Amino acid sequence: MKRLNAIAAQVKREILTMRFRILNPAIVVLGLVAIVSTPAVARAADPDWKAVERELGKSGQIQPGEVFRIGMPRTDLAVTVRGVPVKAGFALGSYAAFKQVGDQAMVMGDLVLLDQEVQAVMSGLLSGGLEVTAVHNHLNDMSPHVMYMHYEGHGDAVQMATALRQALSVAARPWAARVPLPLSPPALDSTQSRSSRCSDVRGERLAAACSR
């Protein structure tokens, strides 16, 4: 009797194995059909960084991590700390850093503002849908006194750049109004002097390097 039960169990296992072998290809085929027929999730289009540059009137650069950063130093201010001049690129560097996250962009940055500019710029940022995350000072014994306003936002990159530009339009900054960027660098005149031909404008600096 035990032998018969063992034989029956063996036959049952072989039948199940045969069924699995028959069904397994069908399962694989159905799985492939499901994968192919499933609509792919559309990747959000990359922001128009050129449009962002046009809104802010400043050129930017792609940084590590696919962050698009636009520097906006306060070159219009002559700040001193205990009589020592402070360079704009050293401690007066406002900026806006954009990054695409999923189907929308985010922006974070820091603004260097005179005391009398803080309230109006803050109101402009909030009205434009951006958030102010901090307002404090980075330097002591400075003249004139400046404050540092940190902000952030989420949404369309160009719209946030527009909101930032509008908020800064009340500040006494030379770049507050939108300034169209040149589509291509101007051609050099062949009659220019050697020193002019060797000059190169890089951001806020004029560099001259002539090979012998």
Side-chain angles (χ1 to χ4, degrees):
M1 189 65 179
K2 291 181 179 180
R3 182 175 178 80
L4 291 176
N5 290 338
I7 294 173
Q10 179 66 26
V11 171
K12 185 176 181 180
R13 285 194 296 270
E14 292 180 358
I15 292 173
L16 292 174
T17 301
M18 292 176 62
R19 287 181 178 178
F20 177 77
R21 289 174 180 174
I22 294 173
L23 292 176
N24 191 40
I27 293 173
V28 172
V29 171
L30 290 175
L32 291 175
V33 171
I35 293 173
V36 173
S37 61
T38 301
V41 178
R43 181 180 180 274
D46 292 334
D48 186 353
W49 298 131
K50 289 297 182 182
V52 171
E53 289 178 327
R54 287 193 295 269
E55 284 299 313
L56 292 176
K58 286 283 188 178
S59 60
Q61 291 183 333
I62 294 292
Q63 304 290 323
E66 297 300 317
V67 174
F68 185 74
R69 188 182 189 279
I70 296 180
M72 303 178 291
R74 287 301 298 257
T75 56
D76 59 311
L77 299 180
V79 177
T80 61
V81 174
R82 296 184 179 180
V84 178
V86 177
K87 297 293 185 181
F90 178 71
L92 305 175
S94 299
Y95 71 94
F98 296 83
K99 179 178 175 61
Q100 185 71 15
V101 181
D103 59 351
Q104 63 179 356
M106 69 174 296
V107 64
M108 298 181 69
D110 197 358
L111 301 174
V112 179
L113 303 171
L114 295 170
D115 289 352
Q116 59 269 28
E117 298 171 342
V118 170
Q119 184 174 353
V121 172
M122 180 184 294
S123 298
L125 292 175
L126 297 176
S127 298
L130 302 175
E131 300 180 14
V132 176
T133 56
V135 179
H136 54 210
N137 63 303
H138 290 180
L139 304 172
N140 296 320
D141 300 325
M142 67 186 79
S143 178
H145 192 269
V146 297
M147 297 294 289
Y148 296 77
M149 182 178 296
H150 298 257
Y151 65 93
E152 67 176 33
H154 298 81
D156 179 78
V158 178
Q159 293 178 0
M160 291 189 293
T162 301
L164 179 57
R165 173 178 58 82
Q166 292 175 347
L168 291 171
S169 64
V170 300
R173 303 177 67 116
W175 53 267
R178 179 169 52 181
V179 178
L181 294 175
L183 298 179
S184 60
L188 291 177
D189 189 347
S190 60
T191 61
Q192 289 177 315
S193 64
R194 177 173 176 79
S195 61
S196 298
R197 291 198 305 270
C198 296
S199 299
D200 180 24
V201 177
R202 301 175 182 174
E204 303 291 341
R205 298 170 297 175
L206 176 65
C210 302
S211 58
R212 295 296 298 271

